[in-house]
Amino acid sequence: MKFEEIAKQLANPSGKFGIDVALGMNTMNEFISKTTYELLKIRDTESVLEIGLGNGKFIKDILNSGNKISYTGIDLSRTMIIEAKKNNSEIIKSSFLDLIVADIEQMPFWEDTFNKICTINTIYFWKNPALALKEVYRVLANNGVFIIAYRPYIEGQTLNFTEYGFKEYKTKDLESLIMHSNFKIIKKTEQIEPPIKFNGKTHNLLSQYFILQKKTNPYDYM
Ligand SMILES: C[S@@+](CC[C@H](N)C(=O)[O-])C[C@H]1O[C@@H](n2cnc3c(N)ncnc32)[C@H](O)[C@@H]1O
């Protein structure tokens, strides 16, 4: 297996191989995705932004979290946005759904637009993490919630592809990044995921979820 090529596709899937890699991500990332959506505690009429949504396989889980949820998904990869549109062609007809090619560092949205924002397994690819956080801060509503879900670096537990172009974070690295931003950590939680098979081995991956709000927010997520 060419891990370097897979790593490139995970960062920005393109073409036929990118589509296949994204299908693999659906299997590997179903648990972390659905756990994140539950933690968002989405309520009726809220507007949700997912950054780096991939092929959009789980959008329906967000839309089913309440009535009249509006969902916006962005991804750097044009291939992924095309796939997400195909995979949700029926849902698009009857729901508030917007799928756009965009970079977390420069998003085409007004200030204070979204009640809930999440990003799952994308932090490894942010070129300028401080700028990315600043931009999420800008588009998040004042009492909104932002969740970063990722798999922290743990010695001896990484998957083979992460040595190619991934920036891996230990928990304390992410904590430090957030401390230097205008977000505060409301809650940090982690899960041992169900076993996943990759490259002939079974992995029990650990995923972490940082639940953030604006430092100025007087309301409580709980
Ligand atoms: C490893 S995949 C994860 C996809 C999905 N969130 C999941 O967990 O299965 C990373 C996704 O983030 C996208 N991505 C990477 N950097 C990004 C950026 N700066 N802004 C927006 N999306 C980005 C990639 O194109 C890719 O679709």
Side-chain angles (χ1 to χ4, degrees):
M1 199 181 285
K2 289 188 180 138
F3 297 117
E4 192 167 359
E5 190 48 36
I6 294 176
K8 264 194 218 154
Q9 292 294 343
L10 291 170
N12 188 347
S14 71
K16 167 89 180 71
F17 190 32
I19 293 170
D20 289 345
V21 168
L23 291 173
M25 288 196 280
N26 292 153
T27 310
M28 289 199 66
N29 300 334
E30 180 169 359
F31 179 86
I32 186 171
S33 300
K34 292 188 175 176
T35 303
T36 305
Y37 303 156
E38 274 172 31
L39 289 168
L40 279 175
K41 297 185 180 174
I42 299 166
R43 302 198 186 100
D44 292 352
T45 73
E46 285 193 327
S47 66
V48 180
L49 169 65
E50 181 168 11
I51 300 167
L53 80 152
N55 67 8
K57 173 88 186 290
F58 307 120
I59 291 176
K60 60 180 179 336
D61 293 282
I62 289 195
L63 291 171
N64 289 340
S65 310
N67 292 314
K68 295 192 175 169
I69 306 296
S70 66
Y71 175 96
T72 303
I74 68 160
D75 201 291
L76 202 56
S77 155
R78 190 166 298 277
T79 303
M80 285 302 96
I81 293 299
I82 293 169
E83 284 306 291
K85 284 184 180 166
K86 275 192 211 155
N87 290 337
N88 293 281
S89 56
E90 279 308 306
I91 297 176
I92 282 174
K93 291 179 194 159
S94 56
S95 304
F96 303 91
L97 194 57
D98 208 4
L99 302 169
I100 302 169
V101 177
D103 188 329
I104 189 171
E105 290 177 17
Q106 195 179 13
M107 294 189 277
F109 310 119
W110 296 109
E111 284 69 15
D112 302 337
T113 300
F114 300 100
N115 305 108
K116 303 281 162 72
I117 302 182
C118 67
T119 191
I120 303 159
N121 284 322
T122 72
I123 189 170
Y124 331 109
F125 313 114
W126 298 356
K127 299 239 166 1
N128 182 337
L131 183 59
L133 289 183
K134 213 172 154 192
E135 185 63 347
V136 175
Y137 184 93
R138 186 183 68 76
V139 301
L140 182 67
N142 280 333
N143 60 349
V145 171
F146 171 41
I147 299 186
I148 301 175
Y150 79 117
R151 298 190 176 113
Y153 175 77
I154 299 169
E155 192 119 3
Q157 283 194 44
T158 47
L159 299 170
N160 311 58
F161 47 74
T162 54
E163 64 196 77
Y164 301 102
F166 274 56
K167 172 160 173 36
E168 295 207 81
Y169 288 78
K170 292 183 180 160
T171 308
K172 66 175 175 41
D173 301 330
L174 185 50
E175 276 168 354
S176 161
L177 179 67
I178 295 164
M179 265 172 55
H180 289 91
S181 78
N182 283 323
F183 285 108
K184 60 185 172 194
I185 299 170
I186 299 298
K187 192 176 169 191
K188 185 186 76 193
T189 171
E190 58 186 40
Q191 296 277 339
I192 304 277
E193 300 184 30
I196 288 173
K197 272 207 168 155
F198 180 76
N199 198 28
K201 271 195 206 156
T202 301
H203 298 262
N204 281 95
L205 299 171
L206 178 95
S207 47
Q208 251 176 19
Y209 309 81
F210 276 76
I211 302 168
L212 311 179
Q213 285 194 311
K214 293 185 173 187
K215 274 182 184 157
T216 49
N217 169 44
Y219 305 101
D220 206 358
Y221 158 83
M222 306 308 288

